[in-house]
Amino acid sequence: MVVVKSNGCSSKPPAFTVNGVPAGTKTLKFAMTDLNVPSYDHGGGTVTYSESADIPAGSFSYKGPCPPDGAHDYKFVVTAINAAGDTVLGRGQAVRAFPPN
């Protein structure tokens, strides 16, 4: 499960809380899709998983959720990857509107 914490309208990624991360996870890969404009490339990012549930805002670099024309719905997907980087151990997602109401 992934919980997206609000940091308002910002060009940096919001904070996340993750739980249920599979044993053996060494990295978490984050991707974000604007469901209103899915063709817009927000990029993504990867963080080393230190067994902390909290991923601070701005932990990696991509174009954060800050649409120019009102609130958009975003899908955030987090993929847990093993130490060798060759096996997906699990995946979670959340949908959130930004900017938040």
XYZ file of all heavy atoms in Angstrom:
727
model
N 0.837 -1.181 0.000
C 0.000 0.000 0.000
C 0.881 1.244 0.000
O 1.938 1.261 0.600
C -0.902 0.001 1.223
C -1.796 1.185 1.300
S -2.929 1.022 2.677
C -3.863 2.489 2.446
N 0.424 2.262 -0.681
C 1.144 3.521 -0.792
C 0.213 4.647 -0.365
O -0.920 4.715 -0.817
C 1.577 3.780 -2.252
C 2.328 5.088 -2.361
C 2.377 2.627 -2.798
N 0.681 5.513 0.493
C -0.073 6.707 0.879
C 0.719 7.914 0.400
O 1.913 8.030 0.687
C -0.276 6.778 2.405
C -0.981 8.068 2.787
C -1.061 5.571 2.896
N 0.072 8.781 -0.350
C 0.710 9.991 -0.858
C 0.346 11.123 0.080
O -0.820 11.406 0.309
C 0.218 10.314 -2.284
C 0.944 11.529 -2.817
C 0.381 9.119 -3.207
N 1.369 11.763 0.639
C 1.143 12.894 1.537
C 1.143 14.177 0.725
O 1.911 14.328 -0.206
C 2.227 12.940 2.609
C 2.227 11.713 3.497
C 3.335 11.818 4.513
C 3.360 10.615 5.413
N 4.455 10.717 6.397
N 0.311 15.088 1.095
C 0.182 16.336 0.359
C 1.309 17.288 0.684
O 1.670 17.479 1.833
C -1.150 16.997 0.709
O -1.188 18.298 0.168
N 1.878 17.878 -0.356
C 2.782 19.007 -0.147
C 2.292 20.178 -0.990
O 3.052 21.039 -1.367
C 4.236 18.648 -0.453
C 4.496 18.337 -1.914
O 3.580 18.003 -2.648
N 5.730 18.429 -2.344
N 0.983 20.179 -1.258
C 0.412 21.242 -2.074
C 0.920 21.155 -3.495
O 1.394 20.139 -3.946
N 0.826 22.244 -4.192
C 1.284 22.303 -5.574
C 2.777 22.578 -5.552
O 3.216 23.613 -5.061
C 0.525 23.404 -6.310
S 0.810 23.401 -8.065
N 3.560 21.640 -6.038
C 5.003 21.759 -5.968
C 5.644 21.083 -7.166
O 5.083 20.136 -7.726
C 5.512 21.100 -4.687
O 6.918 21.088 -4.659
N 6.820 21.546 -7.534
C 7.540 20.921 -8.641
C 8.353 19.721 -8.179
O 8.971 19.043 -8.979
C 8.449 21.937 -9.319
O 9.395 22.415 -8.389
N 8.367 19.444 -6.868
C 9.079 18.265 -6.397
C 8.080 17.194 -5.969
O 6.934 17.496 -5.633
C 10.047 18.601 -5.265
C 9.404 18.974 -3.950
C 10.484 19.289 -2.920
C 9.891 19.611 -1.575
N 10.938 19.859 -0.585
N 8.505 15.922 -5.980
C 7.600 14.846 -5.595
C 7.120 14.999 -4.155
O 7.880 15.464 -3.300
C 8.464 13.592 -5.726
C 9.590 13.976 -6.608
C 9.821 15.436 -6.379
N 5.893 14.611 -3.882
C 5.378 14.677 -2.514
C 6.019 13.597 -1.642
O 6.719 12.723 -2.133
C 3.879 14.416 -2.689
C 3.797 13.595 -3.927
C 4.898 14.092 -4.817
N 5.759 13.670 -0.351
C 6.189 12.622 0.575
C 5.272 11.415 0.413
O 4.108 11.549 0.024
C 6.141 13.142 2.004
N 5.817 10.251 0.710
C 5.061 9.006 0.626
C 5.235 8.224 1.916
O 6.261 8.323 2.579
C 5.592 8.117 -0.502
C 5.438 8.694 -1.877
C 6.425 9.500 -2.424
C 4.321 8.418 -2.640
C 6.304 10.034 -3.698
C 4.187 8.939 -3.907
C 5.177 9.753 -4.439
N 4.233 7.424 2.244
C 4.358 6.404 3.274
C 4.068 5.076 2.597
O 3.071 4.954 1.875
C 3.368 6.633 4.430
O 3.665 7.893 5.050
C 3.476 5.540 5.468
N 4.946 4.119 2.798
C 4.761 2.788 2.206
C 4.655 1.774 3.333
O 5.278 1.915 4.375
C 5.931 2.422 1.252
C 5.948 3.342 0.040
C 7.274 2.466 1.951
N 3.849 0.758 3.122
C 3.799 -0.355 4.070
C 3.553 -1.635 3.294
O 3.200 -1.599 2.119
C 2.763 -0.118 5.179
C 1.368 0.067 4.660
O 0.952 -0.582 3.703
N 0.611 0.963 5.272
N 3.818 -2.755 3.917
C 3.678 -4.032 3.241
C 4.772 -4.250 2.206
O 4.599 -5.017 1.260
N 5.916 -3.576 2.381
C 7.030 -3.734 1.447
C 7.599 -5.144 1.626
O 7.895 -5.554 2.746
C 8.118 -2.661 1.693
C 9.311 -2.877 0.788
C 7.534 -1.272 1.507
N 7.750 -5.895 0.534
C 8.213 -7.285 0.645
C 9.630 -7.400 1.206
O 10.481 -6.535 0.978
C 8.190 -7.791 -0.803
C 7.310 -6.851 -1.543
C 7.417 -5.534 -0.843
N 9.883 -8.481 1.925
C 11.229 -8.779 2.421
C 12.176 -8.882 1.239
O 11.805 -9.358 0.168
C 11.218 -10.085 3.204
N 13.396 -8.428 1.422
C 14.394 -8.495 0.368
C 14.421 -7.282 -0.539
O 15.246 -7.203 -1.447
N 13.525 -6.315 -0.294
C 13.490 -5.105 -1.119
C 14.704 -4.233 -0.816
O 15.000 -3.954 0.339
C 12.201 -4.304 -0.856
O 11.084 -5.092 -1.239
C 12.190 -2.985 -1.621
N 15.394 -3.801 -1.870
C 16.547 -2.906 -1.710
C 16.310 -1.544 -2.332
O 16.907 -0.565 -1.919
C 17.802 -3.536 -2.317
C 18.243 -4.778 -1.591
C 18.556 -4.485 -0.133
C 18.940 -5.761 0.602
N 18.933 -5.636 2.025
N 15.438 -1.470 -3.348
C 15.113 -0.179 -3.943
C 13.614 -0.093 -4.195
O 12.933 -1.098 -4.416
C 15.864 0.073 -5.274
O 15.551 -0.960 -6.190
C 17.358 0.151 -5.071
N 13.128 1.140 -4.158
C 11.743 1.434 -4.503
C 11.761 2.367 -5.706
O 12.400 3.419 -5.669
C 11.016 2.107 -3.336
C 10.857 1.276 -2.075
C 10.275 2.130 -0.953
C 9.976 0.057 -2.334
N 11.070 1.967 -6.741
C 10.991 2.772 -7.962
C 9.625 3.450 -7.993
O 8.594 2.787 -7.888
C 11.181 1.881 -9.184
C 11.147 2.625 -10.482
C 11.386 1.688 -11.656
C 11.321 2.459 -12.958
N 11.526 1.564 -14.103
N 9.624 4.769 -8.143
C 8.396 5.552 -8.151
C 8.108 6.062 -9.563
O 9.010 6.509 -10.263
C 8.522 6.762 -7.220
C 8.534 6.405 -5.766
C 9.688 5.927 -5.168
C 7.396 6.539 -4.993
C 9.712 5.596 -3.826
C 7.401 6.209 -3.644
C 8.568 5.733 -3.063
N 6.851 5.993 -9.952
C 6.404 6.548 -11.231
C 5.078 7.255 -10.988
O 4.288 6.849 -10.146
C 6.230 5.457 -12.273
N 4.847 8.322 -11.736
C 3.626 9.098 -11.589
C 3.031 9.341 -12.961
O 3.745 9.680 -13.904
C 3.938 10.438 -10.922
C 2.721 11.324 -10.747
S 3.123 12.880 -9.922
C 3.968 13.760 -11.205
N 1.717 9.145 -13.066
C 1.004 9.404 -14.314
C -0.124 10.380 -14.037
O -0.914 10.174 -13.110
C 0.409 8.103 -14.898
O 1.468 7.170 -15.105
C -0.311 8.366 -16.199
N -0.192 11.440 -14.825
C -1.309 12.387 -14.757
C -2.455 11.737 -15.533
O -2.380 11.571 -16.744
C -0.886 13.711 -15.394
C -1.962 14.785 -15.334
O -3.162 14.455 -15.222
O -1.600 15.967 -15.427
N -3.495 11.331 -14.839
C -4.604 10.631 -15.493
C -5.410 11.544 -16.408
O -6.114 11.062 -17.291
C -5.507 9.972 -14.448
C -4.807 8.895 -13.604
C -5.758 8.361 -12.536
C -4.265 7.775 -14.466
N -5.289 12.867 -16.221
C -5.966 13.810 -17.107
C -5.170 14.059 -18.384
O -5.749 14.391 -19.418
C -6.206 15.139 -16.391
C -7.098 14.979 -15.186
O -6.609 14.603 -14.122
N -8.381 15.222 -15.331
N -3.855 13.928 -18.305
C -2.968 14.124 -19.453
C -1.895 13.021 -19.406
O -0.737 13.265 -19.077
C -2.297 15.518 -19.436
C -1.506 15.752 -20.723
C -3.315 16.620 -19.239
N -2.269 11.768 -19.720
C -1.327 10.654 -19.566
C -0.104 10.737 -20.466
O 0.908 10.095 -20.193
C -2.168 9.420 -19.883
C -3.472 9.893 -20.370
C -3.597 11.351 -20.114
N -0.147 11.539 -21.509
C 0.993 11.654 -22.414
C 2.096 12.562 -21.852
O 3.217 12.559 -22.362
C 0.544 12.187 -23.772
O -0.009 13.485 -23.625
N 1.801 13.318 -20.795
C 2.806 14.208 -20.209
C 3.807 13.376 -19.403
O 3.425 12.633 -18.496
C 2.152 15.250 -19.303
C 3.127 16.286 -18.797
C 3.431 17.388 -19.575
C 3.749 16.146 -17.573
C 4.341 18.346 -19.123
C 4.660 17.092 -17.121
C 4.947 18.186 -17.901
O 5.841 19.121 -17.464
N 5.085 13.491 -19.733
C 6.117 12.698 -19.080
C 6.595 13.378 -17.803
O 7.283 14.392 -17.855
C 7.289 12.486 -20.037
C 8.384 11.626 -19.441
O 8.158 10.977 -18.391
O 9.485 11.601 -20.020
N 6.226 12.808 -16.673
C 6.663 13.334 -15.380
C 7.984 12.721 -14.940
O 8.566 13.146 -13.959
C 5.611 13.059 -14.297
C 4.474 14.017 -14.335
N 4.503 15.235 -13.707
C 3.271 13.949 -14.938
C 3.370 15.877 -13.903
N 2.598 15.126 -14.655
N 8.432 11.699 -15.643
C 9.653 11.018 -15.235
C 9.360 10.084 -14.079
O 8.261 9.562 -13.938
N 10.326 9.870 -13.223
C 10.177 8.967 -12.090
C 11.427 9.030 -11.244
O 12.291 9.884 -11.463
N 11.543 8.131 -10.311
C 12.717 8.134 -9.462
C 12.839 6.861 -8.669
O 11.883 6.103 -8.522
N 14.031 6.623 -8.172
C 14.326 5.432 -7.390
C 15.023 5.849 -6.105
O 15.877 6.734 -6.110
C 15.232 4.485 -8.201
O 14.570 4.156 -9.415
C 15.517 3.206 -7.443
N 14.641 5.200 -5.001
C 15.299 5.438 -3.717
C 15.737 4.103 -3.138
O 15.125 3.069 -3.388
C 14.375 6.165 -2.703
C 13.998 7.545 -3.202
C 13.147 5.359 -2.376
N 16.813 4.153 -2.361
C 17.246 2.976 -1.627
C 16.278 2.779 -0.474
O 15.973 3.726 0.260
C 18.680 3.168 -1.091
O 19.543 3.373 -2.215
C 19.139 1.950 -0.316
N 15.783 1.555 -0.326
C 14.827 1.258 0.747
C 15.602 0.913 2.016
O 16.372 -0.048 2.050
C 13.907 0.118 0.337
C 12.914 -0.266 1.395
C 12.001 0.660 1.877
C 12.888 -1.541 1.922
C 11.085 0.323 2.861
C 11.976 -1.898 2.893
C 11.082 -0.963 3.358
O 10.168 -1.310 4.325
N 15.398 1.709 3.058
C 16.104 1.511 4.321
C 15.193 0.953 5.404
O 15.490 1.092 6.584
C 16.708 2.835 4.783
O 15.664 3.770 5.026
N 14.092 0.358 4.989
C 13.085 -0.219 5.882
C 12.311 0.837 6.657
O 11.622 0.534 7.609
C 13.696 -1.274 6.793
C 14.274 -2.428 6.001
C 14.680 -3.611 6.853
O 14.181 -3.743 7.984
O 15.493 -4.405 6.358
N 12.420 2.092 6.235
C 11.605 3.154 6.802
C 10.343 3.288 5.964
O 10.404 3.249 4.733
C 12.358 4.482 6.796
O 11.486 5.534 7.177
N 9.208 3.452 6.618
C 7.947 3.599 5.906
C 7.791 4.976 5.277
O 6.998 5.162 4.367
C 6.777 3.329 6.850
N 8.565 5.946 5.753
C 8.414 7.323 5.294
C 9.468 7.679 4.251
O 10.665 7.576 4.496
C 8.501 8.289 6.472
C 7.351 8.092 7.447
O 6.205 7.950 6.979
O 7.606 8.070 8.666
N 8.993 8.132 3.096
C 9.850 8.623 2.021
C 9.605 10.133 1.967
O 8.511 10.580 1.614
C 9.496 7.969 0.664
C 9.414 6.443 0.774
C 10.464 8.428 -0.417
C 10.677 5.747 1.171
N 10.600 10.947 2.343
C 10.389 12.400 2.409
C 10.130 13.036 1.042
O 10.574 12.525 0.014
C 11.701 12.933 2.992
C 12.399 11.761 3.571
C 11.925 10.563 2.800
N 9.435 14.153 1.055
C 9.206 14.921 -0.174
C 10.547 15.279 -0.796
O 11.501 15.603 -0.091
C 8.411 16.185 0.131
N 10.615 15.177 -2.112
C 11.826 15.547 -2.829
C 12.942 14.521 -2.761
O 14.076 14.840 -3.073
N 12.647 13.276 -2.371
C 13.679 12.244 -2.251
C 14.293 11.849 -3.587
O 15.358 11.254 -3.626
C 13.114 10.991 -1.586
O 12.840 11.258 -0.230
N 13.616 12.142 -4.644
C 14.127 11.891 -5.985
C 13.603 12.993 -6.868
O 12.797 13.810 -6.441
C 13.735 10.500 -6.503
C 12.287 10.175 -6.305
C 11.352 10.514 -7.265
C 11.850 9.554 -5.158
C 10.007 10.239 -7.076
C 10.508 9.261 -4.960
C 9.595 9.609 -5.923
N 14.062 13.039 -8.093
C 13.742 14.177 -8.951
C 12.839 13.774 -10.106
O 13.162 12.861 -10.860
C 15.039 14.768 -9.502
O 14.762 15.858 -10.330
N 11.714 14.419 -10.216
C 10.866 14.369 -11.394
C 9.941 15.558 -11.349
O 9.947 16.318 -10.386
C 10.134 13.036 -11.558
C 9.030 12.730 -10.553
C 7.736 13.170 -10.755
C 9.276 11.946 -9.438
C 6.727 12.857 -9.870
C 8.270 11.627 -8.554
C 7.006 12.085 -8.767
O 6.020 11.770 -7.883
N 9.162 15.729 -12.374
C 8.251 16.875 -12.435
C 7.044 16.589 -11.545
O 6.204 15.756 -11.879
C 7.821 17.130 -13.876
C 8.993 17.473 -14.777
C 8.556 17.531 -16.220
C 9.781 17.562 -17.110
N 9.602 16.825 -18.332
N 6.960 17.254 -10.439
C 5.918 17.011 -9.457
C 4.529 17.413 -9.942
O 4.365 18.043 -10.983
N 3.509 17.024 -9.163
C 2.122 17.276 -9.552
C 1.706 18.721 -9.304
O 1.388 19.103 -8.187
C 1.337 16.298 -8.672
C 2.190 16.149 -7.456
C 3.611 16.268 -7.926
N 1.716 19.522 -10.347
C 1.326 20.924 -10.232
C 0.722 21.365 -11.565
O 1.349 22.091 -12.331
C 2.541 21.772 -9.869
S 2.099 23.432 -9.356
N -0.503 20.928 -11.878
C -1.090 21.241 -13.182
C -1.424 22.723 -13.320
O -1.791 23.379 -12.343
C -2.357 20.389 -13.211
C -2.722 20.203 -11.779
C -1.413 20.166 -11.028
N -1.321 23.270 -14.527
C -1.576 24.693 -14.747
C -3.063 25.048 -14.837
O -3.408 26.219 -14.807
C -0.891 24.968 -16.086
C -0.962 23.666 -16.803
C -0.830 22.614 -15.736
N -3.918 24.041 -14.942
C -5.340 24.312 -15.224
C -6.292 23.658 -14.232
O -7.275 23.059 -14.620
C -5.660 23.867 -16.644
C -5.390 22.389 -16.878
O -4.807 21.731 -15.990
O -5.777 21.884 -17.941
N -6.024 23.757 -12.943
C -6.905 23.171 -11.939
C -6.438 21.791 -11.538
O -5.418 21.294 -12.003
N -7.192 21.153 -10.643
C -6.799 19.855 -10.096
C -6.814 18.761 -11.157
O -7.685 18.727 -12.023
C -7.722 19.471 -8.952
N -5.812 17.893 -11.088
C -5.738 16.692 -11.911
C -5.625 15.489 -10.989
O -5.170 15.611 -9.853
C -4.496 16.717 -12.814
C -4.599 17.634 -13.985
N -3.802 17.496 -15.089
C -5.388 18.704 -14.232
C -4.092 18.433 -15.971
N -5.052 19.192 -15.466
N -6.030 14.331 -11.486
C -5.860 13.079 -10.749
C -4.562 12.425 -11.207
O -4.290 12.325 -12.405
C -7.035 12.138 -10.998
C -8.316 12.642 -10.374
O -8.252 13.175 -9.250
O -9.375 12.508 -10.997
N -3.766 11.990 -10.231
C -2.477 11.372 -10.506
C -2.456 9.959 -9.947
O -2.947 9.713 -8.839
C -1.341 12.175 -9.864
C -1.148 13.520 -10.494
C -1.866 14.627 -10.058
C -0.267 13.681 -11.555
C -1.700 15.865 -10.648
C -0.089 14.921 -12.156
C -0.813 16.003 -11.699
O -0.649 17.232 -12.292
N -1.860 9.051 -10.709
C -1.642 7.692 -10.229
C -0.159 7.557 -9.905
O 0.697 7.833 -10.746
C -2.047 6.648 -11.263
C -1.806 5.226 -10.771
C -2.413 4.169 -11.664
C -1.692 4.085 -12.981
N -2.132 2.933 -13.795
N 0.126 7.170 -8.672
C 1.480 6.944 -8.205
C 1.683 5.436 -8.069
O 0.882 4.764 -7.419
C 1.698 7.602 -6.847
C 1.502 9.090 -6.871
C 0.249 9.648 -6.702
C 2.581 9.934 -7.074
C 0.075 11.027 -6.721
C 2.415 11.317 -7.090
C 1.162 11.862 -6.919
N 2.716 4.906 -8.685
C 3.018 3.478 -8.615
C 4.400 3.324 -8.001
O 5.355 3.983 -8.417
C 2.980 2.819 -10.010
C 3.356 1.349 -9.916
C 1.607 2.975 -10.642
N 4.500 2.443 -7.004
C 5.775 2.139 -6.358
C 6.070 0.665 -6.586
O 5.232 -0.192 -6.315
C 5.727 2.447 -4.850
C 7.056 2.120 -4.193
C 5.359 3.894 -4.616
N 7.263 0.398 -7.104
C 7.682 -0.965 -7.400
C 8.856 -1.327 -6.493
O 9.841 -0.588 -6.421
C 8.106 -1.093 -8.878
O 7.011 -0.664 -9.702
C 8.465 -2.522 -9.232
N 8.738 -2.454 -5.783
C 9.800 -2.951 -4.909
C 10.700 -3.877 -5.720
O 10.220 -4.804 -6.378
C 9.189 -3.706 -3.729
N 12.021 -3.613 -5.655
C 12.985 -4.356 -6.457
C 14.056 -4.950 -5.541
O 14.475 -4.317 -4.568
C 13.626 -3.431 -7.512
C 12.512 -2.836 -8.399
C 14.656 -4.176 -8.359
C 12.966 -1.737 -9.314
N 14.530 -6.158 -5.887
C 15.528 -6.851 -5.070
C 16.907 -6.223 -5.198
O 17.128 -5.303 -5.995
C 15.568 -8.340 -5.419
C 16.178 -8.614 -6.786
O 16.308 -7.730 -7.629
N 16.563 -9.860 -7.013
N 17.882 -6.737 -4.427
C 19.237 -6.176 -4.390
C 19.948 -6.265 -5.728
O 20.710 -5.371 -6.096
C 20.067 -6.873 -3.312
N 19.716 -7.331 -6.483
C 20.369 -7.486 -7.787
C 19.754 -6.567 -8.837
O 20.341 -6.357 -9.898
C 20.290 -8.937 -8.245
N 18.586 -6.033 -8.547
C 17.914 -5.135 -9.489
C 17.236 -5.838 -10.633
O 16.828 -5.199 -11.605
N 17.068 -7.164 -10.519
C 16.503 -7.916 -11.633
C 15.162 -8.582 -11.341
O 14.619 -9.278 -12.188
C 17.508 -8.969 -12.112
C 17.886 -9.968 -11.017
O 17.355 -9.874 -9.890
O 18.740 -10.837 -11.297
N 14.623 -8.353 -10.130
C 13.359 -8.993 -9.772
C 12.420 -7.995 -9.102
O 12.806 -7.321 -8.141
C 13.601 -10.176 -8.812
O 14.496 -11.101 -9.442
C 12.305 -10.895 -8.475
N 11.213 -7.914 -9.621
C 10.161 -7.118 -8.987
C 9.545 -7.974 -7.886
O 9.044 -9.066 -8.148
C 9.087 -6.695 -10.013
C 7.898 -6.057 -9.317
C 9.675 -5.748 -11.044
N 9.613 -7.483 -6.659
C 9.095 -8.223 -5.516
C 7.658 -7.853 -5.180
O 6.959 -8.603 -4.514
C 9.987 -7.978 -4.295
C 11.455 -8.371 -4.467
C 12.257 -7.933 -3.249
C 11.578 -9.874 -4.683
N 7.229 -6.697 -5.627
C 5.871 -6.259 -5.348
C 5.628 -4.883 -5.942
O 6.542 -4.210 -6.399
N 4.352 -4.504 -5.951
C 3.972 -3.217 -6.529
C 2.735 -2.715 -5.782
O 1.844 -3.471 -5.447
C 3.673 -3.417 -8.012
C 3.465 -2.134 -8.774
C 3.405 -2.375 -10.285
N 4.776 -2.538 -10.783
C 5.172 -3.533 -11.561
N 4.354 -4.466 -11.941
N 6.424 -3.602 -11.962
N 2.706 -1.405 -5.552
C 1.543 -0.780 -4.934
C 1.241 0.515 -5.654
O 2.092 1.067 -6.361
N 0.019 0.993 -5.503
C -0.343 2.241 -6.164
C -1.377 3.009 -5.367
O -2.061 2.449 -4.512
C -0.836 2.000 -7.584
C -2.160 1.283 -7.679
C -2.582 1.099 -9.129
O -1.769 1.023 -10.031
N -3.874 1.021 -9.355
N -1.444 4.299 -5.661
C -2.430 5.186 -5.052
C -2.819 6.222 -6.092
O -2.027 6.566 -6.968
C -1.855 5.869 -3.822
N -4.047 6.719 -6.002
C -4.521 7.803 -6.871
C -4.854 8.970 -5.975
O -5.505 8.810 -4.932
C -5.738 7.367 -7.713
C -6.294 8.537 -8.498
C -5.361 6.219 -8.639
N -4.389 10.154 -6.374
C -4.592 11.347 -5.554
C -4.778 12.569 -6.452
O -4.113 12.694 -7.474
C -3.363 11.529 -4.670
C -3.356 12.722 -3.781
C -4.086 12.403 -2.476
N -4.306 13.577 -1.711
C -3.553 14.000 -0.706
N -2.493 13.314 -0.345
N -3.849 15.095 -0.065
N -5.650 13.475 -6.069
C -5.840 14.730 -6.796
C -4.822 15.746 -6.309
O -4.541 15.837 -5.120
C -7.249 15.256 -6.586
N -4.251 16.514 -7.248
C -3.344 17.623 -6.928
C -3.713 18.791 -7.803
O -4.011 18.602 -8.974
C -1.880 17.243 -7.172
C -1.245 16.520 -6.030
C -1.347 15.154 -5.920
C -0.559 17.211 -5.059
C -0.776 14.469 -4.873
C 0.028 16.545 -3.995
C -0.081 15.181 -3.894
N -3.680 20.016 -7.305
C -3.413 20.298 -5.906
C -4.578 19.809 -5.052
O -5.720 19.741 -5.508
C -3.258 21.809 -5.851
C -3.904 22.336 -7.079
C -3.874 21.233 -8.095
N -4.271 19.436 -3.806
C -5.322 18.921 -2.922
C -6.315 20.003 -2.560
O -5.993 21.180 -2.580
C -4.553 18.448 -1.683
C -3.235 19.125 -1.762
C -2.969 19.482 -3.190
N -7.518 19.582 -2.255
C -8.576 20.528 -1.864
C -8.414 20.982 -0.433
O -7.945 20.331 0.400
C -9.949 19.885 -2.029
C -10.219 19.580 -3.492
O -9.732 20.266 -4.378
N -10.952 18.530 -3.746
